[in-house]
Amino acid sequence: MKLLLITLAALIVGTGCTTVQKEKKTVQTIVNKELSLQSDNQLLQDGFNWAVQKTGQFVMTGKTGLVNKDERTPNGTDSANYIPSYWAGYYDRTAFYGRDFVHQAVGAQIVGLWDENYSMFKTFAQNATEARDWWTLWAFNFDGTPHHIDYRGDEKFVKEVPAQFELVEKAYKQYLWSGDERYINDSTLWHFYTKTLTDFIKLHDTNDNGIAEGKGGIWAGSCTYNERGEYPIEAGDGIACQYQATLAYAHMLKARGEEEKAQLWYTKASEIKDYFNNEWSVLENNSDIYTRGINREGEKLTGFGKENSWFMPLKLITEPGKRNNDYLQFISENLGEGIGTTPTAPKNIEAYTYLPDMYFHYNCNDEAWFWMKYILSVKDLPHERPSQGTNGDYPEISYTIISQLVEGMMGITPNANTGYIETAARLPQEVGLVKIYNVRFGDYCVDVDHEGLQKTHLTNRSAKKINWNACFYGDYSTIMVNGKKISASQKEVNGVLVSYVNIDVQAASTVKAEV
């Protein structure tokens, strides 16, 4: 399968939906049934609309049901009233898992599960304690108690380094999407972020290089999400997630008005990225490939490591350029065309849900769409684990299809606290038109309409104006805004040139931008 690095041009238009008051501490728990998509590609349209409806199946808020149900305890150990939450993990276990949750959270936010996200983030934060060396737990029942299959006591529970850091990174992303200031001001959450990036790292850094380590498999504390291979002490996904968590912490400090502290953490993030690209990932005799792990003997690991390979470009710790592009190609070659097509391709469908996220980052839109199509094509087939049900019954599938379309293909990046939204069309060659309706972020709601890569409409359905950064891949001196030429600015996004203009879109109005 050939990796296509395509320079595209794009722009977005929006329309709106019901305003959500930022001052409220809770938002009504419903799936936003108005969220929908139209496209000239029927598979994309049907797949997205299926995913929106499918997410509702997994919402557990306000229900009463079993706790500790799993393949070994099919009748559970008790019943309880459930907190605001949704399924994130195997469908035969009544639980939400940290790794799954953080990957599902943006999709959940987009379909309206605001209270659920906050409740679940708070649950993870509350359970990171000094007695647990600042680890949080891996899985919780829907009543917020530890799920017994992954917890034997404070001396023995499942734990993986990347999830610890992704909880910090994705909490900041929830702040941007929701405008909920509790994500940066709640004392329990802030304590968790701070301890994760200070004491947690110190306690798990025996070689004193500033990178959190693992001690072996999942029960000892793994440094990688790859549970089906060797057990290094440091891994590409661990260091990459630590980098993004450090950057998120700096952003949150800045949002709190702590500018001086924020600058210190921006510096720390920059140092981690420099260390990764110039030392950690570099082999002595070959600087063109990436190390993706370090074993107990201090040897650097290469080859394909599944998560500890693709998480490096996914988390943007790799520098754009030939080395990174070659690595994207290397990942593509090892994945082949999915399960069973190469010796190194993962056997579990949920592993593939990260790939569209990664390829869209680099404007590799056809490759990203290939994996979205693949996931949709096998959603009705049995999962590798029979008791789980179909692939589509794995919750991560539906939630990530939503975020991959909205964040990835549509290129929507919001900041609900400032009324800002950025768009950049990343349509693959098989998709000529995409219209998404009722995308909510905080008090705001928009429709976005991409016609190819050169034309975007944004409709503001909110009660107040939105500041829209309309981006197109490519080098354009001007961008037409409602028929009027406006001088464009340029920037690089992950190594690809983008032209853009900044536009105020008044309430209840539509603006068209095109190149």
Side-chain angles (χ1 to χ4, degrees), residues 219-256:
W219 290 94
S222 173
C223 67
T224 176
Y225 280 148
N226 183 2
E227 301 172 359
R228 307 184 184 201
E230 75 275 292
Y231 300 108
I233 63 164
E234 292 178 7
D237 46 345
I239 188 173
C241 291
Q242 183 175 331
Y243 163 68
Q244 279 296 333
T246 306
L247 199 56
Y249 190 65
H251 292 323
M252 288 190 279
L253 281 165
K254 186 176 180 180
R256 284 162 58 101

mmCIF file of all heavy atoms in Angstrom, residues 219-256:
data_model
loop_
_atom_site.group_PDB
_atom_site.id
_atom_site.type_symbol
_atom_site.label_atom_id
_atom_site.label_comp_id
_atom_site.label_asym_id
_atom_site.label_seq_id
_atom_site.Cartn_x
_atom_site.Cartn_y
_atom_site.Cartn_z
ATOM 1 N N TRP A 219 1.143 -5.716 34.826
ATOM 2 C CA TRP A 219 0.958 -5.739 36.273
ATOM 3 C C TRP A 219 2.136 -5.101 37.006
ATOM 4 O O TRP A 219 1.967 -4.561 38.105
ATOM 5 C CB TRP A 219 0.746 -7.171 36.768
ATOM 6 C CG TRP A 219 -0.579 -7.728 36.353
ATOM 7 C CD1 TRP A 219 -0.837 -8.492 35.248
ATOM 8 C CD2 TRP A 219 -1.834 -7.536 37.007
ATOM 9 N NE1 TRP A 219 -2.180 -8.793 35.174
ATOM 10 C CE2 TRP A 219 -2.817 -8.230 36.248
ATOM 11 C CE3 TRP A 219 -2.233 -6.874 38.160
ATOM 12 C CZ2 TRP A 219 -4.153 -8.260 36.608
ATOM 13 C CZ3 TRP A 219 -3.571 -6.903 38.524
ATOM 14 C CH2 TRP A 219 -4.513 -7.580 37.761
ATOM 15 N N ALA A 220 3.297 -5.138 36.401
ATOM 16 C CA ALA A 220 4.457 -4.480 37.014
ATOM 17 C C ALA A 220 4.482 -2.991 36.685
ATOM 18 O O ALA A 220 5.062 -2.190 37.427
ATOM 19 C CB ALA A 220 5.749 -5.142 36.526
ATOM 20 N N GLY A 221 3.852 -2.634 35.566
ATOM 21 C CA GLY A 221 3.877 -1.258 35.091
ATOM 22 C C GLY A 221 4.601 -1.212 33.761
ATOM 23 O O GLY A 221 5.828 -1.216 33.708
ATOM 24 N N SER A 222 3.840 -1.184 32.670
ATOM 25 C CA SER A 222 4.423 -1.214 31.336
ATOM 26 C C SER A 222 4.690 0.204 30.844
ATOM 27 O O SER A 222 3.909 1.116 31.100
ATOM 28 C CB SER A 222 3.473 -1.925 30.367
ATOM 29 O OG SER A 222 3.949 -1.834 29.043
ATOM 30 N N CYS A 223 5.775 0.361 30.100
ATOM 31 C CA CYS A 223 6.075 1.680 29.533
ATOM 32 C C CYS A 223 5.421 1.860 28.169
ATOM 33 O O CYS A 223 5.560 2.908 27.544
ATOM 34 C CB CYS A 223 7.581 1.884 29.413
ATOM 35 S SG CYS A 223 8.369 0.792 28.215
ATOM 36 N N THR A 224 4.687 0.832 27.693
ATOM 37 C CA THR A 224 4.126 0.883 26.348
ATOM 38 C C THR A 224 2.718 0.303 26.326
ATOM 39 O O THR A 224 2.356 -0.545 27.155
ATOM 40 C CB THR A 224 5.002 0.114 25.347
ATOM 41 O OG1 THR A 224 4.380 0.112 24.056
ATOM 42 C CG2 THR A 224 5.226 -1.331 25.786
ATOM 43 N N TYR A 225 1.937 0.739 25.359
ATOM 44 C CA TYR A 225 0.617 0.159 25.109
ATOM 45 C C TYR A 225 0.716 -1.192 24.398
ATOM 46 O O TYR A 225 -0.279 -1.922 24.309
ATOM 47 C CB TYR A 225 -0.210 1.095 24.235
ATOM 48 C CG TYR A 225 -0.875 2.253 24.938
ATOM 49 C CD1 TYR A 225 -1.071 3.465 24.273
ATOM 50 C CD2 TYR A 225 -1.349 2.158 26.243
ATOM 51 C CE1 TYR A 225 -1.718 4.537 24.877
ATOM 52 C CE2 TYR A 225 -1.993 3.217 26.866
ATOM 53 C CZ TYR A 225 -2.172 4.407 26.179
ATOM 54 O OH TYR A 225 -2.817 5.458 26.769
ATOM 55 N N ASN A 226 1.860 -1.498 23.822
ATOM 56 C CA ASN A 226 2.012 -2.765 23.107
ATOM 57 C C ASN A 226 2.151 -3.896 24.126
ATOM 58 O O ASN A 226 3.213 -4.103 24.698
ATOM 59 C CB ASN A 226 3.227 -2.722 22.188
ATOM 60 C CG ASN A 226 3.387 -3.998 21.376
ATOM 61 O OD1 ASN A 226 2.569 -4.920 21.472
ATOM 62 N ND2 ASN A 226 4.435 -4.071 20.572
ATOM 63 N N GLU A 227 1.057 -4.605 24.352
ATOM 64 C CA GLU A 227 1.034 -5.672 25.342
ATOM 65 C C GLU A 227 1.374 -7.032 24.732
ATOM 66 O O GLU A 227 1.285 -8.056 25.409
ATOM 67 C CB GLU A 227 -0.358 -5.742 25.987
ATOM 68 C CG GLU A 227 -0.773 -4.452 26.668
ATOM 69 C CD GLU A 227 -2.217 -4.474 27.139
ATOM 70 O OE1 GLU A 227 -2.899 -5.503 26.922
ATOM 71 O OE2 GLU A 227 -2.680 -3.466 27.713
ATOM 72 N N ARG A 228 1.755 -7.034 23.458
ATOM 73 C CA ARG A 228 1.936 -8.309 22.759
ATOM 74 C C ARG A 228 3.344 -8.461 22.217
ATOM 75 O O ARG A 228 3.555 -8.958 21.130
ATOM 76 C CB ARG A 228 0.909 -8.414 21.631
ATOM 77 C CG ARG A 228 -0.518 -8.190 22.131
ATOM 78 C CD ARG A 228 -1.562 -8.386 21.059
ATOM 79 N NE ARG A 228 -2.903 -8.068 21.560
ATOM 80 C CZ ARG A 228 -4.021 -8.507 21.029
ATOM 81 N NH1 ARG A 228 -3.984 -9.282 19.965
ATOM 82 N NH2 ARG A 228 -5.185 -8.169 21.537
ATOM 83 N N GLY A 229 4.317 -8.023 23.003
ATOM 84 C CA GLY A 229 5.692 -8.138 22.535
ATOM 85 C C GLY A 229 6.654 -8.110 23.695
ATOM 86 O O GLY A 229 6.349 -8.561 24.797
ATOM 87 N N GLU A 230 7.841 -7.547 23.455
ATOM 88 C CA GLU A 230 8.837 -7.463 24.517
ATOM 89 C C GLU A 230 8.466 -6.363 25.509
ATOM 90 O O GLU A 230 7.550 -5.580 25.263
ATOM 91 C CB GLU A 230 10.220 -7.201 23.919
ATOM 92 C CG GLU A 230 10.453 -5.772 23.440
ATOM 93 C CD GLU A 230 9.958 -5.504 22.038
ATOM 94 O OE1 GLU A 230 10.537 -6.047 21.114
ATOM 95 O OE2 GLU A 230 8.983 -4.740 21.900
ATOM 96 N N TYR A 231 9.182 -6.310 26.620
ATOM 97 C CA TYR A 231 8.873 -5.330 27.656
ATOM 98 C C TYR A 231 10.071 -4.413 27.886
ATOM 99 O O TYR A 231 10.900 -4.660 28.771
ATOM 100 C CB TYR A 231 8.479 -6.034 28.954
ATOM 101 C CG TYR A 231 7.273 -6.918 28.775
ATOM 102 C CD1 TYR A 231 7.398 -8.309 28.786
ATOM 103 C CD2 TYR A 231 6.012 -6.364 28.564
ATOM 104 C CE1 TYR A 231 6.280 -9.117 28.609
ATOM 105 C CE2 TYR A 231 4.900 -7.166 28.377
ATOM 106 C CZ TYR A 231 5.045 -8.539 28.400
ATOM 107 O OH TYR A 231 3.951 -9.339 28.211
ATOM 108 N N PRO A 232 10.184 -3.341 27.113
ATOM 109 C CA PRO A 232 11.279 -2.397 27.303
ATOM 110 C C PRO A 232 11.080 -1.584 28.582
ATOM 111 O O PRO A 232 10.019 -1.640 29.216
ATOM 112 C CB PRO A 232 11.189 -1.512 26.064
ATOM 113 C CG PRO A 232 9.756 -1.569 25.656
ATOM 114 C CD PRO A 232 9.276 -2.941 26.019
ATOM 115 N N ILE A 233 12.073 -0.815 28.960
ATOM 116 C CA ILE A 233 11.905 0.072 30.121
ATOM 117 C C ILE A 233 11.456 1.465 29.677
ATOM 118 O O ILE A 233 10.864 2.212 30.463
ATOM 119 C CB ILE A 233 13.179 0.174 30.988
ATOM 120 C CG1 ILE A 233 14.349 0.788 30.203
ATOM 121 C CG2 ILE A 233 13.553 -1.183 31.558
ATOM 122 C CD1 ILE A 233 15.491 1.253 31.093
ATOM 123 N N GLU A 234 11.758 1.841 28.439
ATOM 124 C CA GLU A 234 11.252 3.079 27.858
ATOM 125 C C GLU A 234 10.770 2.769 26.454
ATOM 126 O O GLU A 234 11.360 1.925 25.759
ATOM 127 C CB GLU A 234 12.324 4.174 27.812
ATOM 128 C CG GLU A 234 12.722 4.680 29.181
ATOM 129 C CD GLU A 234 13.821 5.731 29.140
ATOM 130 O OE1 GLU A 234 14.192 6.181 28.021
ATOM 131 O OE2 GLU A 234 14.309 6.108 30.217
ATOM 132 N N ALA A 235 9.707 3.435 26.021
ATOM 133 C CA ALA A 235 9.137 3.129 24.711
ATOM 134 C C ALA A 235 8.693 4.408 24.015
ATOM 135 O O ALA A 235 8.433 5.436 24.650
ATOM 136 C CB ALA A 235 7.959 2.173 24.856
ATOM 137 N N GLY A 236 8.594 4.305 22.685
ATOM 138 C CA GLY A 236 8.240 5.465 21.875
ATOM 139 C C GLY A 236 6.905 6.056 22.241
ATOM 140 O O GLY A 236 6.730 7.289 22.232
ATOM 141 N N ASP A 237 5.921 5.202 22.579
ATOM 142 C CA ASP A 237 4.623 5.752 22.954
ATOM 143 C C ASP A 237 4.667 6.401 24.329
ATOM 144 O O ASP A 237 3.990 7.397 24.588
ATOM 145 C CB ASP A 237 3.509 4.714 22.854
ATOM 146 C CG ASP A 237 3.837 3.368 23.457
ATOM 147 O OD1 ASP A 237 5.006 3.088 23.725
ATOM 148 O OD2 ASP A 237 2.896 2.569 23.657
ATOM 149 N N GLY A 238 5.498 5.880 25.223
ATOM 150 C CA GLY A 238 5.626 6.482 26.548
ATOM 151 C C GLY A 238 6.229 7.875 26.495
ATOM 152 O O GLY A 238 5.679 8.829 27.056
ATOM 153 N N ILE A 239 7.354 8.027 25.812
ATOM 154 C CA ILE A 239 8.013 9.330 25.742
ATOM 155 C C ILE A 239 7.184 10.316 24.924
ATOM 156 O O ILE A 239 7.110 11.505 25.246
ATOM 157 C CB ILE A 239 9.457 9.208 25.183
ATOM 158 C CG1 ILE A 239 10.200 10.553 25.300
ATOM 159 C CG2 ILE A 239 9.473 8.695 23.755
ATOM 160 C CD1 ILE A 239 11.672 10.461 24.924
ATOM 161 N N ALA A 240 6.509 9.831 23.879
ATOM 162 C CA ALA A 240 5.680 10.715 23.052
ATOM 163 C C ALA A 240 4.484 11.247 23.836
ATOM 164 O O ALA A 240 4.132 12.426 23.739
ATOM 165 C CB ALA A 240 5.208 9.975 21.802
ATOM 166 N N CYS A 241 3.867 10.377 24.631
ATOM 167 C CA CYS A 241 2.734 10.824 25.450
ATOM 168 C C CYS A 241 3.187 11.761 26.560
ATOM 169 O O CYS A 241 2.475 12.714 26.916
ATOM 170 C CB CYS A 241 1.994 9.619 26.031
ATOM 171 S SG CYS A 241 1.091 8.639 24.798
ATOM 172 N N GLN A 242 4.371 11.518 27.110
ATOM 173 C CA GLN A 242 4.909 12.432 28.123
ATOM 174 C C GLN A 242 5.145 13.814 27.529
ATOM 175 O O GLN A 242 4.877 14.833 28.171
ATOM 176 C CB GLN A 242 6.209 11.875 28.708
ATOM 177 C CG GLN A 242 6.782 12.750 29.820
ATOM 178 C CD GLN A 242 8.010 12.137 30.479
ATOM 179 O OE1 GLN A 242 8.165 10.909 30.529
ATOM 180 N NE2 GLN A 242 8.895 12.989 30.993
ATOM 181 N N TYR A 243 5.633 13.862 26.297
ATOM 182 C CA TYR A 243 5.840 15.138 25.612
ATOM 183 C C TYR A 243 4.531 15.907 25.475
ATOM 184 O O TYR A 243 4.453 17.095 25.811
ATOM 185 C CB TYR A 243 6.464 14.885 24.237
ATOM 186 C CG TYR A 243 6.353 16.051 23.292
ATOM 187 C CD1 TYR A 243 7.054 17.236 23.523
ATOM 188 C CD2 TYR A 243 5.543 15.981 22.155
ATOM 189 C CE1 TYR A 243 6.942 18.315 22.656
ATOM 190 C CE2 TYR A 243 5.429 17.044 21.293
ATOM 191 C CZ TYR A 243 6.132 18.214 21.546
ATOM 192 O OH TYR A 243 6.003 19.283 20.684
ATOM 193 N N GLN A 244 3.479 15.246 25.002
ATOM 194 C CA GLN A 244 2.204 15.928 24.808
ATOM 195 C C GLN A 244 1.581 16.342 26.137
ATOM 196 O O GLN A 244 0.939 17.404 26.224
ATOM 197 C CB GLN A 244 1.239 15.053 24.013
ATOM 198 C CG GLN A 244 1.457 15.087 22.516
ATOM 199 C CD GLN A 244 1.208 16.463 21.908
ATOM 200 O OE1 GLN A 244 0.441 17.266 22.426
ATOM 201 N NE2 GLN A 244 1.858 16.738 20.782
ATOM 202 N N ALA A 245 1.753 15.541 27.177
ATOM 203 C CA ALA A 245 1.230 15.916 28.493
ATOM 204 C C ALA A 245 1.944 17.144 29.030
ATOM 205 O O ALA A 245 1.319 18.030 29.629
ATOM 206 C CB ALA A 245 1.389 14.746 29.467
ATOM 207 N N THR A 246 3.249 17.211 28.813
ATOM 208 C CA THR A 246 4.033 18.374 29.253
ATOM 209 C C THR A 246 3.570 19.629 28.531
ATOM 210 O O THR A 246 3.401 20.698 29.138
ATOM 211 C CB THR A 246 5.527 18.129 29.003
ATOM 212 O OG1 THR A 246 5.924 16.896 29.629
ATOM 213 C CG2 THR A 246 6.373 19.260 29.556
ATOM 214 N N LEU A 247 3.347 19.506 27.225
ATOM 215 C CA LEU A 247 2.862 20.635 26.435
ATOM 216 C C LEU A 247 1.471 21.056 26.901
ATOM 217 O O LEU A 247 1.181 22.260 27.039
ATOM 218 C CB LEU A 247 2.839 20.223 24.962
ATOM 219 C CG LEU A 247 2.789 21.306 23.893
ATOM 220 C CD1 LEU A 247 3.945 22.283 24.031
ATOM 221 C CD2 LEU A 247 2.796 20.668 22.511
ATOM 222 N N ALA A 248 0.602 20.089 27.162
ATOM 223 C CA ALA A 248 -0.751 20.404 27.628
ATOM 224 C C ALA A 248 -0.713 21.115 28.974
ATOM 225 O O ALA A 248 -1.492 22.053 29.216
ATOM 226 C CB ALA A 248 -1.573 19.116 27.736
ATOM 227 N N TYR A 249 0.166 20.676 29.861
ATOM 228 C CA TYR A 249 0.289 21.311 31.183
ATOM 229 C C TYR A 249 0.721 22.772 31.030
ATOM 230 O O TYR A 249 0.204 23.658 31.728
ATOM 231 C CB TYR A 249 1.284 20.528 32.027
ATOM 232 C CG TYR A 249 1.326 20.931 33.483
ATOM 233 C CD1 TYR A 249 0.221 20.732 34.312
ATOM 234 C CD2 TYR A 249 2.480 21.477 34.037
ATOM 235 C CE1 TYR A 249 0.272 21.077 35.655
ATOM 236 C CE2 TYR A 249 2.543 21.825 35.378
ATOM 237 C CZ TYR A 249 1.424 21.623 36.186
ATOM 238 O OH TYR A 249 1.473 21.978 37.518
ATOM 239 N N ALA A 250 1.632 23.024 30.099
ATOM 240 C CA ALA A 250 2.046 24.412 29.829
ATOM 241 C C ALA A 250 0.866 25.234 29.324
ATOM 242 O O ALA A 250 0.649 26.378 29.759
ATOM 243 C CB ALA A 250 3.185 24.416 28.805
ATOM 244 N N HIS A 251 0.096 24.670 28.402
ATOM 245 C CA HIS A 251 -1.078 25.376 27.881
ATOM 246 C C HIS A 251 -2.079 25.684 28.998
ATOM 247 O O HIS A 251 -2.674 26.765 29.032
ATOM 248 C CB HIS A 251 -1.779 24.528 26.811
ATOM 249 C CG HIS A 251 -1.004 24.355 25.543
ATOM 250 N ND1 HIS A 251 -0.221 25.345 24.996
ATOM 251 C CD2 HIS A 251 -0.930 23.301 24.673
ATOM 252 C CE1 HIS A 251 0.312 24.912 23.873
ATOM 253 N NE2 HIS A 251 -0.099 23.672 23.661
ATOM 254 N N MET A 252 -2.271 24.729 29.890
ATOM 255 C CA MET A 252 -3.226 24.936 30.976
ATOM 256 C C MET A 252 -2.739 25.999 31.954
ATOM 257 O O MET A 252 -3.529 26.807 32.456
ATOM 258 C CB MET A 252 -3.526 23.612 31.679
ATOM 259 C CG MET A 252 -4.381 22.663 30.833
ATOM 260 S SD MET A 252 -5.006 21.207 31.720
ATOM 261 C CE MET A 252 -3.568 20.139 31.653
ATOM 262 N N LEU A 253 -1.450 26.004 32.239
ATOM 263 C CA LEU A 253 -0.888 27.063 33.083
ATOM 264 C C LEU A 253 -1.119 28.429 32.449
ATOM 265 O O LEU A 253 -1.494 29.396 33.131
ATOM 266 C CB LEU A 253 0.608 26.831 33.301
ATOM 267 C CG LEU A 253 0.988 25.784 34.348
ATOM 268 C CD1 LEU A 253 2.444 25.390 34.195
ATOM 269 C CD2 LEU A 253 0.728 26.308 35.762
ATOM 270 N N LYS A 254 -0.913 28.516 31.161
ATOM 271 C CA LYS A 254 -1.144 29.776 30.454
ATOM 272 C C LYS A 254 -2.608 30.184 30.545
ATOM 273 O O LYS A 254 -2.925 31.362 30.781
ATOM 274 C CB LYS A 254 -0.717 29.636 28.994
ATOM 275 C CG LYS A 254 -0.794 30.938 28.206
ATOM 276 C CD LYS A 254 -0.257 30.751 26.794
ATOM 277 C CE LYS A 254 -0.335 32.065 26.013
ATOM 278 N NZ LYS A 254 0.189 31.894 24.631
ATOM 279 N N ALA A 255 -3.515 29.225 30.371
ATOM 280 C CA ALA A 255 -4.943 29.522 30.457
ATOM 281 C C ALA A 255 -5.342 29.969 31.857
ATOM 282 O O ALA A 255 -6.293 30.744 32.026
ATOM 283 C CB ALA A 255 -5.755 28.292 30.049
ATOM 284 N N ARG A 256 -4.602 29.521 32.868
ATOM 285 C CA ARG A 256 -4.856 29.919 34.251
ATOM 286 C C ARG A 256 -4.253 31.288 34.574
ATOM 287 O O ARG A 256 -4.414 31.792 35.681
ATOM 288 C CB ARG A 256 -4.257 28.876 35.207
ATOM 289 C CG ARG A 256 -5.057 27.605 35.324
ATOM 290 C CD ARG A 256 -4.222 26.473 35.911
ATOM 291 N NE ARG A 256 -3.660 26.750 37.231
ATOM 292 C CZ ARG A 256 -4.167 26.297 38.386
ATOM 293 N NH1 ARG A 256 -5.270 25.552 38.375
ATOM 294 N NH2 ARG A 256 -3.597 26.563 39.538
#
